[in-house]
Amino acid sequence: SKFDKEILAKTEEFEEVKRKLTIRITELIDISERERAKAVNLEKLKQKMTLGIKELQSDVDILSGENGELARRAKSAESQLGELQRRVDELGSEVSSLSSANNQLTGDNMRLKNQVNELSDKNLTLERENKQMADQLREAKSDLKAATKRANDLDAINKQLEADRDNLAATLADAEEALREVEQKYQAAHEALTRMKSELE
């Protein structure tokens, strides 16, 4: 009958809506899981980079301390060198009687100059290394900032996907309830029609 056809058409329509919603929910769940996995990986990367930054900062602090110590030693050596030079000048008049002492002082003077040169070279090397580490620290901070932003973006996307999934689930539940009501009406109409046929016979 026409009523049966309408009921059948509505049933098929609700089944199609239910099938499409089920497919969409499955797709959204898959997307959510992939994004959650990406967020976990980014969080691990963030932790690793944070640890690396702490280690680099520790190295920078150590090198800064060593640099200060070397600078103090260089200054002390320069002071000693000046004192020795003054002593050499003062003992110039006594060279013949104090040649042995003068030779010793000259040797000490040369050794101190070499130490000063070595300390200066080490100081330059430490300054270059300090600059390199400072550059690496800036890059690491920049990478960490980008990773944190990406993690926040992914978290926002994940929350939106979860909200969409919940909305679709609610819509599916409403569609299923409507379908049950149509099925009940169809059953009642079918029973009434059967009774009418029976009474007519």
Side-chain angles (χ1 to χ4, degrees):
S1 67
K2 181 179 179 181
F3 184 74
D4 290 337
K5 290 179 180 180
E6 290 178 355
I7 293 298
L8 180 60
K10 288 294 183 179
T11 301
E12 292 175 351
E13 181 181 345
F14 279 115
E15 286 295 331
E16 180 63 18
V17 171
K18 179 180 178 181
R19 184 185 67 82
K20 289 181 179 180
L21 288 175
T22 300
I23 292 173
R24 181 57 180 161
I25 288 172
T26 301
E27 292 174 350
L28 289 174
I29 290 173
D30 291 341
I31 292 173
S32 175
E33 291 301 324
R34 287 196 298 270
E35 293 299 327
R36 184 177 290 108
K38 289 180 182 178
V40 171
N41 291 334
L42 284 173
E43 181 62 27
K44 291 180 179 178
L45 176 61
K46 176 182 175 182
Q47 293 175 356
K48 182 178 179 181
M49 293 181 70
T50 300
L51 179 60
I53 288 172
K54 289 182 180 178
E55 293 176 350
L56 286 173
Q57 187 61 52
S58 176
D59 292 340
V60 168
D61 293 341
I62 292 172
L63 287 173
S64 296
E66 292 177 353
N67 186 41
E69 179 62 25
L70 288 173
R72 286 192 294 273
R73 290 176 62 185
K75 185 176 180 181
S76 176
E78 289 176 353
S79 177
Q80 292 178 18
L81 177 60
E83 180 63 24
L84 288 174
Q85 188 62 54
R86 284 192 296 274
R87 289 180 62 188
V88 168
D89 295 337
E90 291 171 357
L91 293 173
S93 62
E94 302 175 9
V95 170
S96 33
S97 60
L98 298 175
S99 59
S100 177
N102 182 56
N103 291 335
Q104 180 66 37
L105 289 174
T106 301
D108 291 341
N109 184 36
M110 293 299 297
R111 285 193 297 274
L112 287 173
K113 284 184 177 180
N114 290 335
Q115 289 179 4
V116 170
N117 292 332
E118 291 175 0
L119 290 174
S120 296
D121 292 340
K122 289 181 179 179
N123 187 46
L124 291 175
T125 300
L126 287 172
E127 286 178 351
R128 286 193 297 269
E129 293 177 353
N130 187 40
K131 184 178 182 302
Q132 291 175 354
M133 288 191 173
D135 293 339
Q136 292 175 359
L137 179 60
R138 281 194 297 273
E139 292 177 0
K141 287 181 177 179
S142 178
D143 292 342
L144 177 59
K145 183 178 179 181
T148 301
K149 183 179 182 302
R150 178 60 178 161
N152 292 335
D153 292 342
L154 289 174
D155 185 59
I157 291 172
N158 187 46
K159 289 180 179 178
Q160 182 60 45
L161 289 173
E162 289 178 350
D164 292 344
R165 181 196 62 192
D166 294 338
N167 290 336
L168 288 172
T171 301
L172 177 60
D174 292 340
E176 289 177 343
E177 180 63 25
L179 178 61
R180 282 194 295 270
E181 291 178 1
V182 169
E183 289 175 347
Q184 291 174 358
K185 291 179 180 178
Y186 171 78
Q187 184 64 30
H190 182 71
E191 291 175 357
L193 181 60
T194 301
R195 285 194 300 271
M196 289 176 64
K197 287 181 178 180
S198 177
E199 291 172 1
L200 289 174
E201 290 176 355

